[in-house]
């Protein structure tokens, strides 16, 4: 048995700031924070809707607060950014072949955005 100590590399809390790839990854993952607030606000709103008109009016007043509006705009921007990064990596993760030919990366990404637009339009017309 040897008395040598194993090498333990020090890991600081900000190790990810040293490399652009990891900085981008952390920013992308941080986009979930405004979405958490949006989800909590929406769930609270559903509860107020069940409670009655007075509770619903209170929730609508809360949602018109400028801070909440800014958080909702940040949540929208974060979700669009997250979707864009997800859609852009999809051709590498799941290449699609039709009749032995690979579909172009732009075609796959644009098809995904077209699906998002179609679903959004459908929901907008439905409601």
């Amino acid at each position: 048995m040897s008395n040598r100590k194993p090498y333990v590399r020090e890991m600081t809390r900000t190790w990810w700031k040293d490399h652009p790839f990891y900085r981008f990854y952390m920013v992308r993952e941080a986009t979930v924070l405004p979405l958490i607030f949006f989800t909590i606000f929406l769930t609270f709103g559903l509860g107020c809707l069940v409670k009655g008109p007075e509770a619903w009016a209170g929730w609508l007043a809360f949602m018109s607060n400028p801070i909440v509006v800014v958080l909702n705009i940040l949540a929208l921007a974060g979700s669009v950014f997250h979707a864009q990064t997800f859609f852009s990596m999809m051709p590498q993760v799941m290449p699609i072949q039709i009749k032995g030919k690979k579909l172009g990366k732009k075609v796959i990404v644009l098809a995904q955005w077209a699906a998002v637009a179609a679903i959004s339009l459908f929901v907008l017309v439905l409601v």
Side-chain angles (χ1 to χ4, degrees):
M1 199 52 111
S2 118
N3 289 333
R4 294 186 329 178
K5 293 183 180 178
Y7 173 72
V8 178
R9 183 175 159 200
E10 285 190 36
M11 183 77 63
T12 63
R13 290 183 323 147
T14 58
W15 63 269
W16 53 272
K17 289 183 178 180
D18 298 333
H19 196 279
F21 175 81
Y22 295 118
R23 277 196 309 265
F24 180 77
Y25 175 79
M26 294 300 278
V27 167
R28 180 180 186 273
E29 293 303 311
T31 59
V32 76
L33 297 174
L35 292 173
I36 290 171
F37 286 114
F38 175 75
T39 305
I40 290 170
F41 295 159
L42 189 62
T43 304
F44 182 68
L46 288 173
C48 289
L49 184 61
V50 170
K51 289 179 183 176
E54 296 84 19
W56 178 250
W59 182 76
L60 288 176
F62 170 75
M63 291 302 287
S64 65
N65 184 326
I67 295 172
V68 176
V69 171
V70 168
L71 280 174
N72 285 334
I73 291 170
L74 286 174
L76 177 63
S79 64
V80 169
F81 174 71
H82 202 82
Q84 188 274 330
T85 57
F86 179 78
F87 289 169
S88 67
M89 75 172 104
M90 186 58 95
Q92 288 88 6
V93 174
M94 193 174 82
I96 299 175
Q97 291 185 3
I98 297 178
K99 296 183 181 179
K101 287 188 172 183
K102 285 187 179 179
L103 232 56
K105 293 178 182 180
K106 287 184 180 180
V107 172
I108 296 172
V109 172
L110 289 175
Q112 291 173 335
W113 280 114
V116 167
I119 292 169
S120 298
L121 185 64
F122 176 74
V123 170
L124 187 64
V125 169
L126 189 68
V127 175

